[in-house]
Amino acid sequence: YAFPGTYTVTLTVYSFSGCATSSNKQVTVSPIPVADFRIQPICVNNTYQFLDSSSISNGSIVHWDWSIAGLTSLDTIQNPSYTFTDTGTYAVTLSIASDIGCAKSITQNVHVYPLPSANFSFDPQFGNPPLDVQFTDFSTDGSTYLWNFGDGTATSTLHQPNHLYQDTGIFVIHQYVTSAYGCVDSVEKSIYVIKP
């Protein structure tokens, strides 16, 4: 059968004397499911959840089998999670089956990208308030930046911002660096704003 649907099958039996009898039965041809899953950028050492987007026109999908070529069998749930410990390109296969056993599989290549490397310096290293501090970015593979200066007054998305500390204290500065593939790394350093 080329297409799913319900078909009437007729069996006619003839005797040697020419007598005949017939019987009709309905035969249901079920559709083959369409195996598919969405791919988004994957970052090394981050947990990634695979999202099944398979479909079937009639019935339901009841079985999922995920595997990564050369590595492991992931799981038999619909949307498993996995942490890639190395960068590269991996062939991921999803095999599905419907409630009556019709099966299909798909293999797609997924790319695992490296994390950027967050790093910065600031000048001056300490001083009296009001203290105007210039930040210099030394990160690699960054595309966007987020700075939290630790004093609760403001954040910045500039590449190399400056910030004015108005009060005394030890403030923890956080730099979050995001790559073009959405991978994030962060680093923190402390600055001392002291009384004269």
Side-chain angles (χ1 to χ4, degrees):
Y1 290 92
F3 303 100
T6 301
Y7 299 88
T8 301
V9 178
T10 302
L11 171 64
T12 303
V13 179
Y14 298 91
S15 70
F16 286 113
S17 62
C19 299
T21 185
S22 296
S23 176
N24 297 323
K25 296 249 177 162
Q26 299 291 318
V27 173
T28 300
V29 179
S30 296
I32 296 175
V34 177
D36 197 13
F37 59 94
R38 293 187 293 257
I39 299 175
Q40 295 179 348
I42 303 173
C43 303
V44 68
N45 293 325
N46 287 342
T47 300
Y48 179 80
Q49 184 172 30
F50 288 93
L51 297 176
D52 169 55
S53 58
S54 304
S55 61
I56 190 168
S57 60
N58 188 19
S60 60
I61 298 170
V62 296
H63 180 77
W64 299 265
D65 187 14
W66 298 81
S67 62
I68 301 174
L71 288 182
T72 184
S73 177
L74 286 178
D75 214 329
T76 56
I77 62 174
Q78 185 175 7
N79 299 309
S81 296
Y82 186 75
T83 301
F84 290 87
T85 58
D86 200 2
T87 59
T89 301
Y90 301 89
V92 176
T93 300
L94 168 62
S95 300
I96 59 173
S98 70
D99 50 349
I100 65 162
C102 297
K104 191 72 173 178
S105 65
I106 184 174
T107 300
Q108 297 189 67
N109 287 330
V110 300
H111 305 285
V112 181
Y113 297 98
L115 298 178
S117 179
N119 194 15
F120 68 94
S121 68
F122 53 92
D123 186 58
Q125 298 289 313
F126 59 89
N128 305 319
L131 182 65
D132 191 14
V133 179
Q134 177 64 47
F135 294 90
T136 303
D137 174 52
F138 288 111
S139 65
T140 57
D141 299 324
S143 178
T144 60
Y145 308 87
L146 176 63
W147 300 81
N148 184 327
F149 303 110
D151 59 354
T153 60
T155 59
S156 176
T157 57
L158 296 176
H159 182 205
Q160 300 189 126
N162 66 305
H163 182 70
L164 185 65
Y165 287 92
Q166 300 281 9
D167 201 358
T168 60
I170 301 173
F171 302 105
V172 179
I173 306 154
H174 294 267
Q175 180 198 41
Y176 302 91
V177 180
T178 305
S179 73
Y181 304 106
C183 302
V184 180
D185 188 34
S186 66
V187 66
E188 63 181 45
K189 298 182 180 183
S190 296
I191 187 170
Y192 297 83
V193 183
I194 58 177
K195 292 181 180 179

